[in-house]
Amino acid sequence: MILQPITEFINQHSYPEFKLKAVLFDMDGVLFDSMPAHAEAWVRAIRKIGLPFTHYEAYMHEGRTGTGTINGIFQREWGRSATSEEEKAIYTHKSKEFRELSRTIPMPFAGELLNKLKNKGLDIILVTGSGQASLLDSLEVYYPGIFCQEKMVTAFDVKYGKPNPEPYLMGLQKAGVKPWEAVVVENAPLGVEAAKGAGIFTVAINTGILEDEVLVDAGANIVLPGMQELYNEWDILF
Ligand code: MG
């Protein structure tokens, strides 16, 4: 029963096979429990300029670049994009709130999973919409020896960002693998959409406040409640 998602996936895409070589990890909400702080920081920064915004929306927007999130809200409320001054002011405020709110909390069982995959000889790639230097630095502190600069796609590398497939296509390129040789681990609907667009098998870890259906609708091949379940089920799944 558990093998079915992979078989379905291969058939859907008419891939020649499924041969795992690389695992592409999102960061916020997957490796670090940073989404509650991100959501609260976005809510504070957007409400400060008098626009309505909820935590649920922040989770729905997760994965977009700051520019994408801000312009989406401006378009909806005022029918125009933000000026670069407005965008800079809001993003600066959001980043300040985030720094004040956030403690770096590694996601339970993320380290165990990363080490297990590394020991299996799988290539590990980071694909994040984040440009938070503090969290990027934290990778080496909490997951030493797992990630390296050449195997990362961050906000600084991309033009479009999630939900465009671009960041995951870049991730495949950095790993030097085909879509049927990789798996994505994501927690956000837009991240799942990006991974699906890149044609990669996607495991959604529902660590936030959204319903599982939102992740399924975005295109997740499997939805699990957390990294512990993925760690436990990895050998059965792949
Ligand atoms: Mg995420």
Side-chain angles (χ1 to χ4, degrees):
M1 186 201 99
I2 288 198
L3 292 175
Q4 211 184 333
I6 303 249
T7 313
E8 255 173 45
F9 172 77
I10 297 170
N11 292 340
Q12 255 169 23
H13 292 268
S14 306
Y15 286 154
E17 59 180 344
F18 181 80
K19 194 168 186 293
L20 192 57
K21 293 181 182 170
V23 186
L24 282 56
F25 281 91
D26 171 50
M27 183 171 74
D28 290 297
V30 169
L31 300 177
F32 294 114
D33 194 5
S34 42
M35 269 313 290
H38 273 297
E40 179 61 24
W42 274 117
V43 165
R44 289 184 190 178
I46 302 295
R47 287 187 185 168
K48 190 170 179 244
I49 57 161
L51 294 178
F53 199 65
T54 63
H55 293 85
Y56 192 93
E57 276 181 280
Y59 275 88
M60 290 298 288
H61 276 284
E62 190 200 337
R64 273 194 218 285
T65 57
T67 305
T69 301
I70 293 164
N71 281 330
I73 299 160
F74 267 62
Q75 284 294 349
R76 183 189 68 196
E77 295 296 324
W78 290 333
R80 66 167 177 91
S81 291
T83 64
S84 57
E85 290 77 26
E86 287 168 328
E87 187 190 311
K88 192 164 175 246
I90 296 165
Y91 197 70
T92 303
H93 183 206
K94 187 262 166 179
S95 300
K96 179 176 165 281
E97 293 282 358
F98 179 75
R99 279 195 303 276
E100 287 169 13
L101 285 164
S102 120
R103 291 178 302 123
T104 304
I105 309 167
M107 198 59 88
F109 277 83
E112 286 86 342
L113 179 62
L114 289 169
N115 283 315
K116 178 183 183 130
L117 302 186
K118 197 186 174 193
N119 291 337
K120 285 176 180 287
L122 293 167
D123 215 355
I124 296 170
I125 311 285
L126 182 81
V127 181
T128 178
S130 176
Q132 294 278 350
S134 58
L135 276 181
L136 295 173
D137 290 344
S138 298
L139 283 171
E140 196 47 40
V141 175
Y142 289 93
Y143 307 118
I146 299 285
F147 296 95
C148 62
Q149 205 66 48
E150 310 82 68
K151 300 279 174 84
M152 283 187 194
V153 179
T154 73
F156 306 112
D157 300 300
V158 298
K159 187 170 173 206
Y160 303 106
K162 302 170 189 177
N164 190 288
E166 175 203 31
Y168 280 112
L169 291 172
M170 286 177 84
L172 290 176
Q173 214 170 30
K174 293 207 174 193
V177 300
K178 303 289 182 200
W180 58 87
E181 296 170 332
V183 163
V184 166
V185 184
E186 257 290 349
N187 70 306
L190 297 180
V192 169
E193 197 182 320
K196 190 193 176 192
I200 311 169
F201 189 92
T202 308
V203 179
I205 301 297
N206 194 0
T207 56
I209 61 174
L210 305 176
E211 303 81 9
D212 281 359
E213 292 70 48
V214 177
L215 295 163
V216 173
D217 291 346
N221 298 95
I222 301 175
V223 181
L224 293 171
M227 291 296 260
Q228 181 168 4
E229 288 76 8
L230 183 56
Y231 174 80
N232 288 339
E233 290 180 31
W234 186 272
D235 294 327
I236 307 166
L237 287 167
F238 305 109

